[in-house]
Amino acid sequence: MQEYVITLEKVIRQHFPAALFSVATSAKRFDDLRQDSDNQMDESNENFILIHTLSAGELRIEAICLYIDSLMIRINYDSCSGAENQIKALLNDIKITLFAEILQQQKSMFRRISDNTWHLASGLSHEVITQHVVDGALKTIPFSDAVIFRIYDEQKNLLIPMALSGFKENYYDYAVSTHESVSGRVFESRQSVTLNSREAILASFTHQSAMRSAIMENNPIANSLLCVPVQDKQICYGTLTLLSFNRHSVFNSLAVSLLETFSAQVALAWRNAKIYDEKISSLNEVEALRKQLERQNAILKGSVEFHNDMVSLSTRINNLNSFIIAILERVNLKAGYIDILGNLCNDTVNFPYSWDDLQQLEQAHSGAERHFSAGDEYIQPLKYEYLSVGYFILPAAAVNDATRLILSRLGDFIVMEIMRKASSLMLEHKRKSALIEQVFTRGINSDSEKNLAEYGFQVQNWIMCLRLQVNHHGNEEVTSFVTLNKLNSLFYRRNVFSYADSHSIIIYISDLHTSKLKEFAEKISRELPPTAISKAGISQILKRNEFKLAWQQAGTALEVLNTRQQQGVLYFHDSGIERLFINHEQEELNRFIADVLAPLLADGEKNATLLITLNSFIHHSCSMLNTAKALNIHVNTLYQRIRKIENMIHFTLSDPDDFLIVNLACHMNRLYNSQP
C-alpha cells in the first residue's frame, strides 16, 4: 500500500508540481459503485473505477478498486494548471499506476495458488483433500465468505456436498441433480458460471423442493456466486462454488481463472485419492500404486514449480515473446506460438501456419474450446471469453498429461498478459489520436514534429492519409490490433504513423517525393487483407501541413463507399460528385431520383427500354447518331423515344438546367439502385 501511494504521489507532482494535494483511503466499495449508473466514470473495468470531479478550485479523483485499497485524491489547483489536457494526462498515468499495482496483486494471488496446491498434494485420502479444498478456495479468491465442494455420485445421479464452510451443518443434506441449480448446470456444461447479484442467484434455481426450502430458510442467500467444474482431462468429478454474502459484483474474470486453476489441481488430487482408495485394499498392487502416485505427485509438484517459474520470469522479462521462449526452454518443451498481437515463436518446430490459417482451421473444427489437430500437429487455442487470442502448436506425438497441464497453466497466464497488453495499446492509440487532434488545431510546428518523431514518424514534404473500415468479429479493439499487425508487412521500412479509433484505422504516410506515395497507395490498393478490411478511403497527396484536409478527404472517400454500400478501395479524386451526397440519407436520394425518373422506373418492358435509351443518350453526349448506332435503332425511332421520355418526365433535354437535373438523377440511379 505504501509503495503504491508513493508512486501515485510522484505522478501527481509530475503533473501538478506546485499544487497542494492529499492521498487518503476511501470507504467506498467497488461493487456498490458498479451498480450506480448515475456516476460519470472516467474508467470502469473489472478491477477499478476512476472518477474525477472539479469543484471550487479542487480536483477530486476517486480510485475505487476491487483488489487493492481504494483512494481519494484531492488536489488544490488554479485555473491555469487545471487545464483539461493536463487532467486527462494525470488520469491516464493514474490508470497505468493502478494497472501496475493490480498486476502485482494478481501475481500474489498466483503465488497463493502455488502455496495451496502443496496442501492438496500432501493429502492422499478424500477426507484430507476435502478440508484442503475448502481452506484453499477461501484463501485463493478475495471476498469469499463461503464455499461448497460437491462431488457427483453416478449411482444416485446427484451432486453431493463433500465439504463446505459458511453454512449450517444441515446443508450437507442438500444434494442437487444435474438438472437443477447452478452446480448442475456447470457440471453438465463443463463451463464456469458467475452470478453477481442476489436476484440472479435466486433466478438460477430451476427446481423447487421441500428440502431446498427448509435448508434455505436457515442459511443466507449470497450476493455473488462463482461456480467452476472440478475436472481433469475429460472427466468432471463435481463442482466448486464460492459465495460472497456481503459483496456483489466481486467475482471477475481473474477470479474465474484463479478458481479454475485451483479446481484443476483439486481434480488431480481427487483422482489421486480415488486411485489410492481403490488400490489400498490389494497388497500385491501396492508397488504399482506407489509409482503411480509418485508420477501424479510429480505432475502436481511440477505444476507448482511451473507457476513459480512463470511469476519469476514475468517479473524479469517484460517482452511477451521473450518470456514464452524462456518458459518453454525452462520446461524443455518444443512448441510454436502465435498471437493476435503479432508475437511469433517458431524456432523449435515446423510452423507452416499464418494467423488466418489457424482461425480457419479452428472454425473447421467448430470453434474447438480445448484443442484440435491438423495432420501431425496438436493445436491448442488460447481463449479470452469466446475469442481465440493465441495458439500453441507442437507435434501430436509429444503431447501427454504433463504437456497438457503445462499448456493449460501457461495459456491462462499468457491470455491475461495479452489482454493487459491490449489495454496498454488502447491507451497508446488514444494518445496518438489526441496528438493528431493537436496537429489539426495548431498545425505542424517544432513541438508536434518532435512528438510525432517519438513514434518514428518524420513529417516530410508530402503526406497522404488512409482511413480503413474493419470487419469486426467479437472484441472491436482486439480486431483493430489484429488488423494493424496484418498491415505491418505493408508498412515495412515506410515512414508511417498509424492508430485506431472507435470508427476506423487511420494511417498517415509522408515522403520527400510524390512518386513514392503513389507507389505506396497502389501497393495498399492491391494488398489490403480482404478478410480484415471491408472499405478503405485514400486522400490526395497533399502538402506537409495539410493533415486535417488529408484526414477529411480519406473520410469522404470512405463515406462515399458507405453511401454506395460497396466494399473496396476508393481514392478521394475518384469520389466525383458523390462526395456532395454523403450527408444525405438514402431515402432522400431515392426521393430525388423518383421525383425526376418515376415514370421510367415503373414496372414494364417499355419503361425499361426508355430508361436504357435515356442513359445511352446521356452517355453519348446527346449525339443522336452515336446513340442510335449503340442501340441498333433508326434515328427517327430515337427521336420518337426522346420526345416520349420528355413528355413522361416533364423535362426538356435541350434545356441546360433540365438536362443537368436529369443527368444527375440518372447518375445517382445507376450508383445507388443498380438500374441500367
Side-chain angles (χ1 to χ4, degrees):
M1 166 65 182
Q2 190 63 30
E3 294 180 0
Y4 161 42
V5 172
I6 291 172
T7 303
L8 280 176
E9 289 174 348
K10 290 180 180 178
V11 169
I12 296 169
R13 288 193 187 97
Q14 180 182 351
H15 292 276
F16 293 86
L20 296 176
F21 66 91
S22 63
V23 181
T25 57
S26 172
K28 289 187 178 181
R29 296 198 331 190
F30 174 85
D31 47 325
D32 293 334
L33 215 58
R34 286 279 283 198
Q35 290 191 334
D36 187 1
S37 59
D38 294 334
N39 276 307
Q40 297 296 319
M41 302 176 184
D42 298 286
E43 175 72 18
S44 177
N45 56 53
E46 61 179 18
N47 293 302
F48 66 85
I49 295 169
L50 199 63
I51 302 172
H52 88 278
T53 56
L54 299 171
S55 177
E58 183 181 63
L59 169 61
R60 292 186 181 184
I61 301 174
E62 295 179 273
I64 312 303
C65 306
L66 178 60
Y67 290 133
I68 59 178
D69 289 335
S70 298
L71 298 177
M72 167 64 80
I73 301 170
R74 289 183 169 89
I75 303 173
N76 294 321
Y77 73 103
D78 55 50
S79 59
C80 294
S81 65
E84 182 177 354
N85 288 339
Q86 191 175 8
I87 294 173
K88 285 182 179 179
L90 173 60
L91 292 173
N92 282 335
D93 284 350
I94 290 175
K95 292 177 192 177
I96 293 170
T97 304
L98 291 174
F99 276 123
E101 183 65 18
I102 289 166
L103 179 60
Q104 293 301 318
Q105 183 69 15
Q106 291 173 353
K107 291 176 180 177
S108 173
M109 293 179 187
F110 276 105
R111 286 193 292 270
R112 206 176 301 156
I113 286 184
S114 299
D115 294 336
N116 291 329
T117 52
W118 279 111
H119 296 294
L120 288 174
S122 66
L124 292 176
S125 70
H126 288 114
E127 290 76 12
V128 175
I129 289 173
T130 52
Q131 188 55 48
H132 287 323
V133 169
V134 170
D135 295 341
L138 290 175
K139 292 176 182 177
T140 297
I141 309 298
F143 310 120
S144 303
D145 298 320
V147 60
I148 310 166
F149 176 44
R150 287 187 170 94
I151 289 296
Y152 178 66
D153 187 321
E154 189 171 359
Q155 291 182 341
K156 296 179 180 179
N157 192 27
L158 293 173
L159 287 161
I160 310 295
M162 303 301 295
L164 55 87
S165 177
F167 296 99
K168 295 184 178 180
E169 288 296 312
N170 66 339
Y171 209 99
Y172 279 103
D173 299 327
Y174 185 34
V176 297
S177 73
T178 56
H179 303 295
E180 65 177 292
S181 79
V182 174
S183 293
R185 188 177 358 140
V186 169
F187 179 80
E188 282 290 298
S189 67
R190 295 346 187 225
Q191 297 293 321
S192 301
V193 169
T194 305
L195 302 174
N196 273 319
S197 71
R198 184 185 296 261
E199 294 75 17
I201 293 172
L202 290 173
S204 67
F205 293 99
T206 58
H207 177 74
Q208 301 292 333
S209 66
M211 172 67 73
R212 177 184 177 277
S213 299
I215 291 175
M216 290 295 102
E217 187 176 1
N218 298 314
N219 284 285
I221 300 295
N223 278 306
S224 291
L225 176 150
L226 170 57
C227 184
V228 302
V230 178
Q231 58 183 343
D232 169 47
K233 293 185 179 179
Q234 302 300 319
I235 301 174
C236 187
Y237 296 98
T239 61
L240 185 58
T241 305
L242 283 179
L243 304 102
S244 178
F245 295 132
N246 299 318
R247 304 288 294 266
H248 53 77
S249 303
V250 295
F251 296 139
N252 58 13
S253 61
L254 174 62
V256 175
S257 177
L258 287 169
L259 194 59
E260 286 178 344
T261 300
F262 181 70
S263 70
Q265 303 290 347
V266 172
L268 282 173
W270 193 262
R271 186 176 69 173
N272 289 343
K274 185 176 181 180
I275 294 171
Y276 181 85
D277 290 344
E278 291 173 351
K279 299 294 184 180
I280 197 65
S281 60
S282 178
L283 293 177
N284 61 350
E285 295 179 2
V286 168
E287 184 62 21
L289 174 63
R290 184 184 66 81
K291 292 180 180 180
Q292 187 170 4
L293 288 174
E294 285 180 352
R295 287 195 298 269
Q296 295 299 326
N297 285 332
I299 292 175
L300 284 172
K301 182 179 179 181
S303 177
V304 173
E305 293 173 348
F306 185 58
H307 273 293
N308 291 335
D309 285 343
M310 285 196 298
V311 172
S312 175
L313 282 172
S314 66
T315 58
R316 291 187 285 110
I317 302 176
N318 293 324
N319 180 273
L320 183 58
N321 222 41
S322 300
F323 166 77
I324 293 169
I325 293 172
I327 197 68
L328 291 176
E329 287 179 353
R330 183 73 61 90
V331 297
N332 194 27
L333 182 62
K334 294 183 178 180
Y337 172 80
I338 189 172
D339 65 32
I340 60 170
L341 299 180
N343 294 303
L344 177 64
C345 303
N346 60 353
D347 296 336
T348 59
V349 296
N350 179 34
F351 200 103
Y353 303 111
S354 67
W355 176 264
D356 287 338
D357 293 336
L358 291 169
Q359 293 267 285
Q360 292 171 10
L361 279 171
E362 184 180 0
Q363 188 65 33
H365 288 81
S366 302
E369 280 293 320
R370 295 181 176 274
H371 62 83
F372 55 92
S373 299
D376 295 331
E377 277 99 18
Y378 173 96
I379 303 174
Q380 178 167 316
L382 308 184
K383 295 283 190 178
Y384 175 72
E385 296 177 352
Y386 297 104
L387 177 70
S388 290
V389 297
Y391 296 93
F392 278 116
I393 301 179
L394 62 163
V399 177
N400 53 36
D401 288 351
T403 306
R404 292 189 185 94
L405 186 62
I406 289 171
L407 292 179
S408 176
R409 300 298 171 269
L410 181 57
D412 292 341
F413 194 88
I414 290 174
V415 167
M416 186 171 64
E417 289 296 305
I418 288 174
M419 299 318 296
R420 183 179 66 83
K421 179 65 174 176
S423 298
S424 175
L425 286 174
M426 180 185 68
L427 292 176
E428 180 178 325
H429 282 236
K430 288 182 178 179
R431 286 195 291 268
K432 284 185 172 182
S433 179
L435 176 56
I436 291 298
E437 287 292 337
Q438 290 179 6
V439 172
F440 288 172
T441 304
R442 303 172 187 173
I444 289 294
N445 53 40
S446 58
D447 289 339
S448 59
E449 286 197 67
K450 179 181 178 182
N451 292 333
L452 290 168
E454 290 179 358
Y455 291 100
F457 184 65
Q458 303 294 327
V459 182
Q460 298 178 353
N461 294 350
W462 305 96
I463 63 167
M464 186 170 60
C465 180
L466 293 80
R467 292 177 65 178
L468 315 177
Q469 190 166 305
V470 181
N471 290 322
H472 287 298
H473 302 289
N475 187 296
E476 292 186 5
E477 293 164 359
V478 172
T479 305
S480 295
F481 299 148
V482 173
T483 304
L484 278 174
N485 283 329
K486 290 181 178 180
L487 294 172
N488 281 339
S489 61
L490 299 181
F491 301 158
Y492 180 64
R493 301 183 70 177
R494 296 281 186 174
N495 184 25
V496 167
F497 183 86
S498 62
Y499 64 96
D501 62 18
S502 58
H503 304 292
S504 59
I505 292 174
I506 297 92
I507 301 167
Y508 280 98
I509 180 168
S510 183
D511 205 287
L512 294 171
H513 307 287
T514 59
S515 59
K516 296 288 187 180
L517 296 180
K518 290 178 181 177
E519 290 176 7
F520 178 75
E522 292 172 358
K523 182 179 178 66
I524 284 286
S525 300
R526 293 192 306 269
E527 300 183 23
L528 276 179
T531 58
I533 302 298
S534 61
K535 302 178 181 70
I538 303 179
S539 75
Q540 294 175 311
I541 297 173
L542 300 171
K543 295 179 181 178
R544 69 193 305 269
N545 61 342
E546 296 181 304
F547 269 71
K548 188 170 185 178
L549 178 59
W551 183 85
Q552 290 171 337
Q553 287 187 356
T556 297
L558 193 59
E559 284 300 319
V560 168
L561 284 174
N562 285 325
T563 304
R564 292 181 182 178
Q565 298 181 349
Q566 293 179 354
Q567 296 190 350
V569 178
L570 182 67
Y571 291 86
F572 175 77
H573 60 72
D574 291 331
S575 61
I577 197 171
E578 295 165 68
R579 73 186 69 160
L580 303 177
F581 308 139
I582 59 176
N583 294 321
H584 295 271
E585 297 291 336
Q586 184 69 39
E587 182 180 350
E588 184 180 358
L589 298 177
N590 288 335
R591 191 161 52 245
F592 169 75
I593 294 169
D595 288 344
V596 178
L597 301 177
L600 304 181
L601 297 174
D603 291 338
E605 185 177 346
K606 291 183 178 180
N607 292 331
T609 300
L610 291 175
L611 183 57
I612 291 172
T613 300
L614 177 58
N615 281 321
S616 182
F617 184 65
I618 293 171
H619 176 72
H620 290 92
S621 304
C622 303
S623 168
M624 287 290 184
L625 291 176
N626 291 338
T627 304
K629 183 178 180 181
L631 295 174
N632 197 24
I633 59 175
H634 195 275
V635 172
N636 290 338
T637 303
L638 178 59
Y639 274 114
Q640 292 172 6
R641 289 186 184 179
I642 294 299
R643 284 196 296 272
K644 186 170 184 179
I645 290 170
E646 291 177 331
N647 290 333
M648 291 175 68
I649 64 176
H650 305 294
F651 285 95
T652 303
L653 297 180
S654 59
D655 181 273
D657 292 336
D658 283 3
F659 179 79
L660 177 61
I661 293 172
V662 174
N663 190 357
L664 181 59
C666 289
H667 177 74
M668 293 169 61
N669 186 50
R670 288 194 302 273
L671 284 174
Y672 304 134
N673 296 327
S674 300
Q675 294 291 338

